[in-house]
Amino acid sequence: MYILVIEDNPDLVANLYDFLEPRGYVVDAAGSARGGLHFVQEKVYDAIILDLTLPDMDGLEVCKRLRDSGCDTPVLMLTARDTLDDKLEGFGSGADDYLVKPFAMQELDARLKALVRRVSGDQSRELLRLADLAFDPATLQLERDGRSISLPPIPLKILALLLRQSPRVVPRREIERRIWGDTRPDSDALRAHMSVLRAAIDRPFDKHLLRTVHSIGYQLIAPDEIQG
């Protein structure tokens, strides 16, 4: 597995090399945002470990630039910031997962493997539609009312799951299991991703499709199907 580490702490980078390389990872490391972006232009990676605080550019901006350039490599963001707002920012910039420092190397390993499994998994290619929302899993093109919508990878996967299950209410635990597998996220992760999804597909429009069913889960449903 080819991994890019964008991190300016040399001690942490050394620890990552020492832990990951004996386990079969091939690791490149950049101590700055610009160095990391240069690596991405030159090579293809299975995953990127990205520090949120870098000397020349905020990690959020790095992640946005990666996504804007068309890079869909999974990004695991490392940070000491652990509030829900911080996580919302990270997921909103395009991060796939979020690990708070200090962390156990074994958890980092598990999360990297889970990210790569999700990306490499088979995706159904049928066009998914609900009301004026349309998503093509083959091209990852998402539109609502003729307007193109951009979403980070994890909210996009959640959207595809909810579209395939619509109008069924999908329990939180099922979403977590289908998206993250056995490596469950922290308690705020799903809520943060759902907030990103809602902001993209509902907030700009008069009629909302995404419903939170209190204490159960989430549902995508056409406005004319809502009872009461």
Side-chain angles (χ1 to χ4, degrees):
M1 191 184 303
Y2 291 86
I3 302 296
L4 173 63
V5 177
I6 308 177
E7 165 66 63
D8 66 327
N9 183 327
D11 292 333
L12 177 54
V13 172
N15 288 338
L16 288 169
Y17 269 110
D18 290 344
F19 181 83
L20 294 174
E21 287 194 325
R23 287 162 175 77
Y25 290 86
V26 179
V27 182
D28 285 333
S32 68
R34 288 179 174 80
L37 291 170
H38 176 74
F39 268 115
V40 173
Q41 291 175 346
E42 298 295 321
K43 297 183 180 181
V44 176
Y45 294 96
D46 294 301
I48 297 171
I49 299 172
L50 174 62
D51 184 30
L52 188 58
T53 305
L54 295 164
D56 54 340
M57 190 185 305
D58 192 283
L60 297 173
E61 179 61 26
V62 175
C63 202
K64 289 176 184 175
R65 292 194 184 193
L66 289 172
R67 298 311 184 211
D68 290 344
S69 71
C71 174
D72 60 0
T73 303
V75 173
L76 174 60
M77 192 167 279
L78 302 181
T79 179
R81 309 175 196 172
D82 61 355
T83 69
L84 177 58
D85 286 343
D86 292 326
K87 294 173 184 178
L88 284 170
E89 278 194 295
F91 292 136
S93 71
D96 298 88
D97 204 353
Y98 198 104
L99 196 55
V100 177
K101 299 177 181 178
F103 55 85
M105 288 291 180
Q106 291 82 357
E107 182 177 4
L108 175 79
D109 181 32
R111 287 177 181 268
L112 285 174
K113 289 175 179 174
L115 282 176
V116 174
R117 280 199 305 270
R118 292 202 297 270
V119 170
S120 61
D122 291 336
Q123 295 292 322
S124 177
R125 300 177 68 88
E126 80 274 14
L127 187 65
L128 302 174
R129 292 184 178 275
L130 177 69
D132 56 354
L133 181 72
F135 173 55
D136 186 343
T139 63
L140 302 184
Q141 290 183 324
L142 174 64
E143 293 184 351
R144 183 166 183 195
D145 194 26
R147 294 164 55 179
S148 179
I149 298 172
S150 177
L151 271 176
I154 293 297
L156 205 57
K157 290 177 184 294
I158 295 172
L159 173 66
L161 169 62
L162 293 177
L163 279 169
R164 291 189 176 101
Q165 296 294 319
S166 176
R168 173 175 169 255
V169 177
V170 184
R172 290 178 56 94
R173 287 189 177 277
E174 181 177 340
I175 296 173
E176 291 176 346
R177 179 179 57 81
R178 297 279 291 273
I179 299 299
W180 285 279
D182 294 332
T183 309
R184 293 291 176 86
D186 64 51
S187 59
D188 287 333
L190 179 58
R191 184 158 48 130
H193 285 301
M194 296 305 299
S195 178
V196 172
L197 178 58
R198 180 174 278 112
I201 69 167
D202 270 354
R203 199 164 295 160
F205 302 92
D206 293 333
K207 295 183 178 180
H208 294 174
L209 305 176
L210 179 59
R211 297 180 65 224
T212 300
V213 182
H214 184 62
S215 299
I216 300 177
Y218 299 92
Q219 175 190 39
L220 274 177
I221 186 169
D224 58 4
E225 296 180 27
I226 298 175
Q227 301 297 317

